[in-house]
Amino acid sequence: MARFADSIQGMLKLILVLMLAGASLSATWFTLTCLSRVTHLPSTAAILYTSCILVGIFINSSVPIFFELVIETVYPVPEGITCGVVTFLGNLVTGLLLFFLTFYSTELTWLNWCLTGSCLFSLVLILFFRESYDRLYLDVFVSV
């Protein structure tokens, strides 16, 4: 995915929207497959593995694209500070979720809906995000 994103410059938001839409659809498919008693969808091992692998591919390959978009947007700020703040905030949210799971660890079916909701929420936030490519502009147009 990184090689593809490097080949088309200035389209990081579009790539991220497509990745998060794929993650949202895959997470919804996984969640509805797990609820086979309610939705009457087939729940085979192949379907569960496929949907879970697709969720992992879409979410994990969107992380570096997200970091690159944040670095491009806040360009005069050094990359180390930007990545440090984004990583800290991500670890804080993950730590809060794990802390919450220590108290409510008996029934975990809501966690599938939490995954779907977080993918959809991230997609909505990215849609409202205003991108700017100041660093790309300096690298490509000013240095030539």
Side-chain angles (χ1 to χ4, degrees), residues 97 100-101 104-116:
L97 177 67
F100 184 73
L101 282 174
Y104 299 102
S105 61
T106 56
E107 179 62 36
L108 296 176
T109 56
W110 61 270
L111 206 53
N112 293 337
W113 289 111
C114 185
L115 173 67
T116 304

Side-chain angles (χ1 to χ4, degrees), residues 37-86:
R37 291 186 206 130
V38 178
T39 60
H40 302 294
L41 290 173
S43 179
T44 63
I47 290 175
L48 288 173
Y49 279 131
T50 303
S51 60
C52 190
I53 288 170
L54 283 175
V55 169
I57 287 172
F58 284 126
I59 288 177
N60 288 325
S61 59
S62 68
V63 171
I65 307 294
F66 173 73
F67 274 99
E68 187 69 28
L69 182 64
V70 171
I71 289 170
E72 282 283 343
T73 302
V74 298
Y75 164 63
V77 178
E79 292 117 359
I81 294 172
T82 304
C83 290
V85 169
V86 170

Side-chain angles (χ1 to χ4, degrees), residues 68-144:
E68 187 69 28
L69 182 64
V70 171
I71 289 170
E72 282 283 343
T73 302
V74 298
Y75 164 63
V77 178
E79 292 117 359
I81 294 172
T82 304
C83 290
V85 169
V86 170
T87 303
F88 173 74
L89 292 174
N91 288 340
L92 183 69
V93 170
T94 304
L96 289 173
L97 177 67
L98 290 174
F99 181 73
F100 184 73
L101 282 174
T102 59
F103 297 113
Y104 299 102
S105 61
T106 56
E107 179 62 36
L108 296 176
T109 56
W110 61 270
L111 206 53
N112 293 337
W113 289 111
C114 185
L115 173 67
T116 304
S118 66
C119 290
L120 287 171
F121 183 66
S122 299
L123 178 62
V124 169
L125 288 179
I126 288 295
L127 287 174
F128 289 116
F129 183 75
R130 189 175 50 96
E131 61 185 337
S132 68
Y133 295 100
D134 296 334
R135 187 177 69 160
L136 178 66
Y137 177 75
L138 286 175
D139 287 345
V140 173
F141 297 113
V142 174
S143 64
V144 173

